[in-house]
Amino acid sequence: MSATRRTMMAVVALALALSPMLPSAQAGAATPRTNTAAPHTTTATPRTTLLAIEHQVMCVTCKIPLNVAESPQSTRERVYIRGLIAEGQTEAQIKNSLVAQYGPSVLDLPGTKGFDLAAYLVPAAVVLALLALLVLLLPSWRRHARTRASTGVDVPKLSADDAARLDADLAHFD
Amino acid sequence: MAGKRPYIPIAVGVLGAALVGLLVYGIATQAPSRSLDEALRHGTHPPAPSADQMLPRLSGGGSTSLAAYRGKVVVLNFWASWCEPCQEEAPKLERAQQQLQRHNGTVLGVTYLDVTPDSLSFVKRYHLTYPNLRDTSGEFTHSYGTDQLPESFVIDRNGHVVAISRGEIDEAFLNRAVSLAERS
């Protein structure tokens, strides 16, 4: 009997000792429910903003960046982007979705066909032309520089005193 | 003066002229083509451009082309849900569809620069029963010289363009399409 009583007392003591931990234990029990509920929430965590996307894409009807466009189509484009942001899509995913809807012209990049190719070819051609100009001019510049060096046109002559002083100064370093 | 090289200013001049030429070419080619309008003005009926180009169906379920409608009178209508005149003309097009389909004709909508959910809402709102395709690249639309919406084209049973409406359609335009379907 006394053994039973001792056991009961031990259980009560253990319960009392554990009682301060009870609220946190309840909180711990609640946490998994919250976590389980999380996927069912309607709003995903935004991974980007309209501001971040707007200046990277075009208003496809006005042919200007979306962040400065004010047309009915640009308004719908913004609504569509907001929807994708609310779904928790990343910048890259949103751009892909926009290309799927509006075509590649929605991206703030020149196309790779027809006249749009000029956007890539002209800068390359200008660089090549400048290089060609450099190749043409460089020998004559070097020749000119050599001529000036050999004739010593731009090198001032030292006076006898200065030459003597220079020699004396240099002698200190020997 | 003898040391000066004349080819440098010449090369710079040629380069500048080439850039100006490129600019002029760009402006000329970016303008929408009016070759279909010109052909109709001269009394000829040109073949409908890009008829074989496959376009996805707005409602999903694969792709089709304008060529698949060969043998029917087609009112090809370019539209977008955000375009106000398109909203005005949608009920007229649906009424025309009811008449056309009795005579082996159809309205064929092509959405341009529009997002699918908006286009589908538009179809639902105006109870459109005619087929609609999506032109995501804009190539099909541009081949008709279309850069503003709405624009419509009547295509006869042989696949030739017989009438053009650049802007909101009127009843006379649709009546012409319906009478063509009745006659042919």
Side-chain angles (χ1 to χ4, degrees):
Chain A
M1 184 67 184
S2 65
T4 312
R5 197 172 172 178
R6 268 203 305 276
T7 309
M8 282 179 69
M9 283 178 73
V11 168
V12 169
L14 187 67
L16 284 171
L18 290 175
S19 62
M21 295 166 70
L22 200 60
S24 59
Q26 282 170 340
T31 308
R33 279 206 301 276
T34 312
N35 286 346
T36 317
H40 299 292
T41 52
T42 49
T43 49
T45 309
R47 294 180 188 181
T48 185
T49 61
L50 179 64
L51 219 65
I53 299 289
E54 256 189 335
H55 74 275
Q56 296 182 58
V57 297
M58 300 289 281
C59 162
V60 282
T61 51
C62 11
K63 319 269 192 242
I64 55 172
L66 186 62
N67 59 348
V68 291
E70 290 295 338
S71 69
Q73 186 274 322
S74 67
T75 306
R76 293 308 308 161
E77 200 173 323
R78 280 192 199 93
V79 169
Y80 183 65
I81 294 170
R82 278 199 195 97
L84 299 176
I85 291 169
E87 285 173 18
Q89 291 198 17
T90 62
E91 258 184 44
Q93 287 171 325
I94 290 171
K95 282 190 200 170
N96 286 342
S97 302
L98 286 169
V99 170
Q101 294 295 330
Y102 293 116
S105 65
V106 75
L107 296 179
D108 197 5
L109 289 171
T112 52
K113 278 193 282 186
F115 182 70
D116 289 345
L117 263 179
Y120 301 101
L121 295 180
V122 168
V126 168
V127 168
L128 283 176
L130 289 175
L131 281 175
L133 206 64
L134 203 66
V135 165
L136 283 172
L137 291 177
L138 205 60
S140 92
W141 286 346
R142 290 173 74 180
R143 208 165 36 243
H144 197 60
R146 266 203 302 272
T147 312
R148 276 197 309 191
S150 63
T151 55
V153 172
D154 293 333
V155 182
K157 288 233 172 194
L158 287 177
S159 65
D161 290 346
D162 288 340
R165 198 164 47 247
L166 182 63
D167 287 340
D169 285 345
L170 289 172
H172 289 298
F173 296 102
D174 290 339
Chain B
M1 204 61 187
K4 296 268 182 193
R5 287 173 177 77
Y7 56 80
I8 294 172
I10 290 172
V12 171
V14 167
L15 201 66
L19 285 174
V20 170
L22 193 68
L23 185 69
V24 170
Y25 171 79
I27 291 167
T29 53
Q30 297 291 301
S33 164
R34 287 288 174 266
S35 57
L36 291 177
D37 307 59
E38 285 295 316
L40 289 190
R41 208 167 293 131
H42 290 102
T44 56
H45 294 154
S50 308
D52 293 320
Q53 186 178 336
M54 299 299 284
L55 296 173
R57 294 178 202 275
L58 176 63
S59 54
S63 305
T64 189
S65 65
L66 177 62
Y69 294 88
R70 188 73 47 89
K72 288 177 185 274
V73 170
V74 176
V75 175
L76 181 68
N77 173 247
F78 294 99
W79 64 276
S81 61
W82 44 262
C83 144
E84 284 179 22
C86 302
Q87 295 162 16
E88 293 291 321
E89 68 177 18
K92 294 179 200 165
L93 284 163
E94 180 52 34
R95 279 197 298 276
Q97 169 68 4
Q98 299 305 321
Q99 293 175 286
L100 282 167
Q101 64 184 2
R102 286 199 290 270
H103 303 286
N104 197 25
T106 187
V107 175
L108 178 65
V110 175
T111 65
Y112 172 55
L113 303 178
D114 202 12
V115 287
T116 308
D118 288 355
S119 304
L120 288 170
S121 300
F122 184 96
V123 167
K124 201 173 169 188
R125 192 183 327 140
Y126 293 100
H127 310 289
L128 306 181
T129 58
Y130 52 82
N132 281 286
L133 309 176
R134 292 176 61 225
D135 181 20
T136 50
S137 69
E139 281 176 26
F140 182 81
T141 307
H142 291 157
S143 69
Y144 285 80
T146 297
D147 67 341
Q148 292 188 336
L149 298 174
E151 290 193 357
S152 301
F153 300 78
V154 177
I155 295 160
D156 68 13
R157 297 191 195 282
N158 299 317
H160 291 92
V161 178
V162 294
I164 298 173
S165 167
R166 299 203 185 267
E168 189 180 331
I169 46 162
D170 54 18
E171 294 293 347
F173 180 82
L174 288 174
N175 288 342
R176 187 176 171 188
V178 171
S179 62
L180 177 69
E182 286 170 347
R183 279 199 321 266
S184 55

